[in-house]
Amino acid sequence: MSDLVLTTPRILPLARPDARSEPRILRCLVIGFAITFLSVFVLLPLILVFATALAKGASGYFDALSGPETLSAILLTLTTALISVSANLVFGLLAAWVIAKFEFRGKTLLITLIDLPFSVSPVISGLVFVLLFGMQGLFGVWLQQHDIQILFAAPGIVLATTFVTFPFVARELIPLMQEQGTQEEEAAISLGASGLQTFFRVTVPNIKWGILYGVLLCNARAMGEFGAVSVVSGHIRGETNTMPLLVEILYNEYQLVAAFAVASLLALLALVTLVAKTILEGHLEGEPANDD
Amino acid sequence: MTIDVRNLVKRFGAFKALDDVSLRVDDGELLALLGPSGSGKTTLLRIIAGLDWPDTGSVRFDGNDALSRGAGERNVGFVFQHYALFRHMTVFENVAFGLRVQPRAVRPGEDVIRRRVKELLDLVQLDWLSDRYPAQLSGGQRQRIALVRALAIEPRILLLDEPFGALDAKVRKELRRWLRQLHDEIHVTSIFVTHDQEEALEVANRVVVMDKGRIEQVGSPGDVYDNPASAFVHGFIGESIVLPVHVVDGQVRLGETTLALDSQGSAAGPSKLFIRRHDVAVGPAGSGLLEGDVRHVRTFGPTQRADIALHVGGGETVIEIDAPRDRGLKSGDVVGLEPRRFRIFAGA
């Protein structure tokens, strides 16, 4: 996501050099460079994805998407995202609530731990689960004795995705809740509200846009995660392939149309995410603390 | 409802916010907790409300233990310093909140809630704001909404934390008078916290002066002003002239000079002489106990405020006094000063 902001230069009524702005030629050069850069590195690849996906026409595109392997990958991706986003919504809310509203020992450690998945390479995150649940792993033997399959199966993929996407909701909510403080909650309690009533009637409404924003980013990452999932998936076709993994397999087998058709779905998801993100950011700005 | 607070101690880490505080509040009283910031007044208020718990000590309402009950079960209305209105709710919903969260068995019906909220909003003449959000209100309006929101649960005790602290001077004055009137009407036992002595003296029946987690004095507004119990109270309430003196053999000494003042039984050693600014009679040179040069004069409406360098103590002791404007002080004058009333407290 580029934070580059392009501002249109103000056209001055008089053609005299203005002390407040750079020469016209320099402005044109800088803006031209920025636009060219964005076009080559962002827009062009995006167009290429869709162009290649549609190389054999609309029917070729839909044929590629309706194959059983593709459908299974889409289903697995959606299920994984649904479970891990829900889990992270609950964990993230809890963690943010605890961190923002209470003082306790080890709080800084907890905040650091929440950030861990961001600072570790996704491949390492995947390997951690192999070390935990693999045959030579910590729980490997016990799991095999009880005939529970985690690695190279859907549970492993869900676990890895949840781990990698854990920080999104919590990270979004912690500063927001810290800024809002605890006064409204105290007011609710003193008016006789129970803990649950306070949470659902006061806390949640105050952070609802923040929650949606966190869920959105969490979901985008959950559906697009490659590294960690690749390690734990086992790449069993039609069973443990998510969409990003399927794209890679199809591409390696020179099935370009199919690969890019699946990739175009992920690209569409990215575009929808971007639009939703922009809308949510508008709401988030309109949700400041009203305490002076 | 009476409130009986006994031997409260509360520490935040190494900081002692409350240091053995005991206080009794009578039914229907309007009590002010007055003190500088960090004196423990807000902590005491929050403990009574159930928003904080003491390390040791007891709080009783009408003789019944309050500490075993949570904030929601104490039936205490609390008005927060920054109002803490629910920002995502309209004014109407803010006031209705306390009724809506009641257990289903006792919760009033929707029409009763509507009528009750309307009555409360009428009470503060803000019925026309019921569909607005807190962010759309002025400070004074938010303050009054916060107050009726607390009153909606028909509290037996009303607690207000710096209720007028965030308002400008004019609105503050209006709301002060209004709070006084409201209390006369509804007569609920009320405690408010303030660091503004004028507010405390004007609004309250009784004033509790606090400093460093301890209660320095409890008394009527007239009492704490006229008969301060400690050097702190004298210095904190009203404008005082403070002179460092020595009490030796029952005599009061300022520098090398012995003043013709009664030591008021103060123990020998370094002490402080307190005189209210307006308790100093300004006369011609040689007319009073003390003499000094007028250095600088400022005029505020009917009074003059003058810096006077005293002749005792090497001429470097400068005090500030108030004199009527028609006294016509000019810088360079030599004046005599005679304290009409004074207090001496032992201690450096």
Side-chain angles (χ1 to χ4, degrees), chain A residues 180-181 183-194 197-198 201-203 205-206 208 287-292, chain B residues 46 51 71-72 76 78 80-89 97-98 100-102 134-135 142 149-150 153 166:
Chain A
Q180 293 182 345
Q183 281 222 328
E184 284 185 45
E185 277 83 2
E186 285 184 345
I189 297 276
S190 84
L191 288 168
S194 66
Q197 283 174 322
T198 304
R201 289 178 185 233
V202 175
T203 308
N206 275 340
K208 59 176 185 287
E287 191 178 78
N290 68 5
D291 299 14
D292 19 10
Chain B
R46 288 174 59 87
L51 297 171
V76 166
F78 199 98
F80 291 81
Q81 184 174 7
H82 297 295
Y83 321 129
L85 293 176
F86 306 124
R87 71 196 88 186
H88 64 283
M89 291 184 203
F97 186 88
R100 292 205 194 284
V101 295
Q102 285 178 356
R142 285 184 207 177
R149 180 179 69 177
I153 58 169

Side-chain angles (χ1 to χ4, degrees), chain A residues 188-223:
Chain A
I189 297 276
S190 84
L191 288 168
S194 66
L196 276 182
Q197 283 174 322
T198 304
F199 184 73
F200 285 110
R201 289 178 185 233
V202 175
T203 308
V204 170
N206 275 340
I207 55 170
K208 59 176 185 287
W209 297 113
I211 294 178
L212 273 177
Y213 190 87
V215 162
L216 181 81
L217 295 187
C218 186
N219 180 58
R221 178 68 190 266
M223 289 193 177

Side-chain angles (χ1 to χ4, degrees), chain B residues 87-207:
Chain B
R87 71 196 88 186
H88 64 283
M89 291 184 203
T90 60
V91 163
F92 182 93
E93 287 304 323
N94 262 283
V95 179
F97 186 88
L99 302 171
R100 292 205 194 284
V101 295
Q102 285 178 356
R104 189 160 298 152
V106 292
R107 190 190 310 155
E110 185 62 27
D111 48 333
V112 178
I113 292 180
R114 297 214 153 261
R115 205 174 56 236
R116 179 108 185 88
V117 173
K118 192 177 169 341
E119 278 169 14
L120 285 162
L121 288 174
D122 282 340
L123 180 71
V124 291
Q125 292 153 17
L126 290 178
D127 189 33
W128 55 287
L129 288 176
S130 51
D131 294 328
R132 302 270 185 94
Y133 285 88
Q136 299 167 301
L137 307 182
S138 73
Q141 289 166 345
R142 285 184 207 177
Q143 214 281 333
R144 283 181 282 170
I145 296 302
L147 195 102
V148 287
R149 180 179 69 177
L151 289 178
I153 58 169
E154 293 177 6
R156 292 177 304 168
I157 295 170
L158 185 61
L159 305 174
L160 306 100
D161 187 7
E162 297 274 3
F164 313 118
L167 301 170
D168 59 65
K170 192 167 171 292
V171 179
R172 192 147 70 201
K173 252 196 149 105
E174 273 172 33
L175 279 179
R176 242 189 244 166
R177 192 166 310 132
W178 174 77
L179 177 66
R180 179 73 249 180
Q181 277 171 5
L182 185 78
H183 182 263
D184 290 344
E185 278 167 36
I186 59 177
H187 241 79
V188 58
T189 308
S190 308
I191 305 179
F192 72 99
V193 156
T194 180
H195 61 268
D196 181 341
Q197 42 168 306
E198 208 182 310
E199 202 164 285
L201 299 184
E202 195 179 308
V203 179
N205 303 125
R206 267 201 314 159
V207 178

Side-chain angles (χ1 to χ4, degrees), chain A residues 148-178:
Chain A
I148 300 169
Q149 184 86 25
I150 289 186
L151 226 49
F152 314 126
I157 294 173
V158 170
L159 278 175
T161 307
T162 307
F163 178 80
V164 171
T165 56
F166 178 72
F168 284 102
V169 176
R171 267 281 130 196
E172 181 57 34
L173 292 182
I174 290 168
L176 187 65
M177 290 171 90
Q178 276 176 335

Side-chain angles (χ1 to χ4, degrees), chain B residues 17-38:
Chain B
L18 289 179
D19 186 3
D20 196 23
V21 166
S22 297
L23 177 69
R24 196 185 148 77
V25 188
D26 292 329
D27 186 39
E29 243 192 320
L30 178 53
L31 189 89
L33 295 180
L34 174 65
S37 54

